[in-house]
Structure formats: structure tokens, C-alpha cells
Amino acid sequence: MKVVNSRNGGSFLVWTLTVQLVLCGSGVYATNSTKNCKLAYESPSERKVLNRLEPLAHKNFTVVSNTADGNYTYVFQLCGDAAGIPGAGAVQVEDKKPTSKTVIGSYNSTRAIGGSDWVMLIYEKGDAYDAHCSKEMRKAIFMISCNRKIDVGKLEVVLEDRDRLHECFYLFELDSSAVCPALSTQLSTGSIILIIGICLMAVYLIGGFLYQRLIVGAKGMDQFPNYAFWVEFGNLSADGCDFVCRSRNREEAPAYRGVSSEPLEEEQEERDDHLLPM
């Protein structure tokens, strides 16, 4: 083996490792994605619903169920080999027989039904029942509901409905924010007008300030654009407000003499004394 000790060779090796890490992190080399699921009836609508579950890929979900017949562990993986079994999307493992694994659904026969905030994922063509459900193949149904508070919740077993002749199934529940609808961020007309007005005002003030400062060479308050106009505008606005809103009378009220506490007759007599003949 030839070892490269040159600087160029070392740089090339570092760049090669970096590119591989980036490709692995971005999912280029990933094999367990929604594209691995084979729909029972290929259609663009079901494929679109299945793509909504892409954030759940590359994850194993495990849940333990205690029943009267025994304790079982269920393993679920989205479009991947659950419990290492090729083609198995969901597997049942009995605690008494850990080496005995029953495939209850295959991702090679998948169905996907979705609503605004939920997705129903169905794995069909699992191992056949030994005595129940007319020995049909097992089927697993996963009800994935919207929950914005968590990325991925815990897998829960709802029931195994096998007391029928046909269409038996395993039902599971799972909460995730991956199936939540996107929040609308549409702005109202008033908000748009307000934002535009604020932006125009900011451009006017900043541009006018720079022009007055750098081109005109103004100092102090004169740096504000159209300073004299805005001062006059403010004075006129204050006068108009004072004229419209103030309730006081603008003409000065005539002065009134105070009313004397003495009787009027005595005051009249004092005023007429100078008219008497001497």
C-alpha cells in the first residue's frame, strides 16, 4: 500500500472524508426512506401522503403489550427492515419465544391514507394466521396523528382484532408533528400597508439625514430632512387642535366690580353730598 505524505495528498484525503460525511448527513446514502415502501396500488395521491412521513424514517419504534395470552413486543419501522427482517415493516416478538418473530405487516405492500392532520399507514401481507381470521395474512394499521408539541411520540398498541372471519388487523397509534399542517402566516392588507409606510418613513429619514449631513453640511437639528417644514407643520397642527378641541372662550370676559356689603341707599347718599348748596 502506498502512503501519501505530501500536503496535496493529505488535503485530498480530508476533502474526501468531508464530502462523505456531508453526503451521509444529507441522506444521499440513506436506504431506509419512504421511497423504499412499495404501494399496493401506486398512485400520486398515496405517494404524496407517504412522503409526509419522511421525518419518521430511519427510526425504530418499540412497544410492549401485556395481554392475557402473553407479553408481546412490537417493532415498527417506516419503510425499513423492522427487527432486521428484510421486507418486514412491523414485527411481533413473543417474550416466551424471543427467537420466534412474526411479521405482521410488510412495507412491500403499503397503503397510505391522509387527512389534514393525520395519516393512516397500512402494512399488508404479513405472516398468515395459524387458526384465526380464515388463515389470512396479517395486517398492521398505524394511526399517526398531529401533535405540535413533540417531534415523535411513543408507539402505543390499541388492539388486535382477530375475532372475525376476514380483514383482521393490528391497530397502533403514534403522535408526531410531521403530519401537522403548515401554519398560515398570511398578512392582512392593513399590516402590509403599515409595513410599507414604516419602510418608506425609515428611508426618508435616513436618506434625508445623510443628505443634510454629508452634502449640505448641516449641523444639529438642521440635519433632519425638511426641518423647517415639519416645525411649521407641528405649529399649525397645535393651533388647529387648540381651536377645535379647547372649550374656553377666546375673548376676555369684561371685568366686574365687586358687590359691596353695605346697603345701596347709604352709598347713594354719600355720592349726592357734593350737590347740596353751601
Side-chain angles (χ1 to χ4, degrees):
M1 183 177 66
K2 185 177 181 180
V3 180
V4 179
N5 294 323
S6 63
R7 294 183 179 179
N8 294 333
S11 301
F12 177 77
L13 179 60
V14 171
W15 278 109
T16 303
L17 294 175
T18 303
V19 171
Q20 289 180 350
L21 290 175
V22 171
L23 291 176
C24 291
S26 60
V28 174
Y29 293 149
T31 56
N32 295 332
S33 63
T34 56
K35 294 181 180 179
N36 294 333
C37 281
K38 296 181 181 180
L39 295 175
Y41 306 97
E42 186 67 39
S43 66
S45 59
E46 287 198 34
R47 181 61 63 179
K48 183 178 180 181
V49 172
L50 190 59
N51 290 337
R52 292 170 57 186
L53 302 177
E54 186 68 31
L56 303 182
H58 323 298
K59 293 182 176 66
N60 284 311
F61 300 91
T62 304
V63 60
V64 178
S65 176
N66 300 322
T67 63
D69 298 333
N71 299 332
Y72 298 91
T73 300
Y74 295 91
V75 182
F76 161 63
Q77 186 169 347
L78 179 65
C79 302
D81 298 333
I85 301 177
V91 176
Q92 181 191 58
V93 181
E94 187 176 359
D95 290 353
K96 295 180 180 180
K97 302 177 181 179
T99 58
S100 177
K101 300 177 181 179
T102 303
V103 178
I104 61 175
S106 172
Y107 63 81
N108 291 324
S109 181
T110 305
R111 297 182 63 187
I113 304 171
S116 60
D117 59 352
W118 58 271
V119 170
M120 181 183 291
L121 181 69
I122 304 174
Y123 284 158
E124 299 178 339
K125 293 185 179 181
D127 293 342
Y129 283 98
D130 295 332
H132 300 87
C133 201
S134 303
K135 298 184 179 181
E136 288 185 346
M137 291 184 175
R138 288 174 170 84
K139 177 172 60 178
I141 301 176
F142 299 89
M143 191 66 186
I144 305 173
S145 304
C146 168
N147 189 344
R148 298 187 185 277
K149 297 181 179 180
I150 55 176
D151 294 334
V152 181
K154 294 182 179 180
L155 184 67
E156 296 182 2
V157 181
V158 179
L159 60 90
E160 177 190 0
D161 190 357
R162 64 181 185 178
D163 297 330
R164 54 171 67 188
L165 295 178
H166 302 284
E167 297 296 331
C168 300
F169 60 89
Y170 296 81
L171 181 60
F172 302 87
E173 285 184 344
L174 180 65
D175 291 341
S176 174
S177 60
V179 297
C180 295
L183 296 175
S184 59
T185 57
Q186 185 178 1
L187 297 176
S188 62
T189 305
S191 299
I192 295 175
I193 294 175
L194 181 61
I195 293 173
I196 294 175
I198 293 175
C199 293
L200 292 177
M201 180 62 69
V203 171
Y204 168 75
L205 292 175
I206 296 174
F209 177 83
L210 294 176
Y211 177 81
Q212 293 289 108
R213 175 79 175 184
L214 302 177
I215 304 301
V216 180
K219 302 294 183 179
M221 298 298 295
D222 293 333
Q223 296 178 95
F224 288 94
N226 305 110
Y227 175 71
F229 167 78
W230 291 114
V231 170
E232 185 65 21
F233 178 78
N235 293 333
L236 293 176
S237 299
D239 293 340
C241 180
D242 182 71
F243 180 79
V244 174
C245 300
R246 297 291 177 85
S247 60
R248 68 180 181 85
N249 190 1
R250 281 159 178 75
E251 295 182 358
E252 294 185 359
Y256 292 95
R257 297 176 66 252
V259 179
S260 176
S261 59
E262 299 179 0
L264 293 177
E265 294 181 357
E266 295 181 2
E267 184 180 359
Q268 187 68 22
E269 292 179 356
E270 292 178 357
R271 290 180 182 180
D272 296 342
D273 290 344
H274 67 282
L275 301 177
L276 296 176
M278 299 299 295

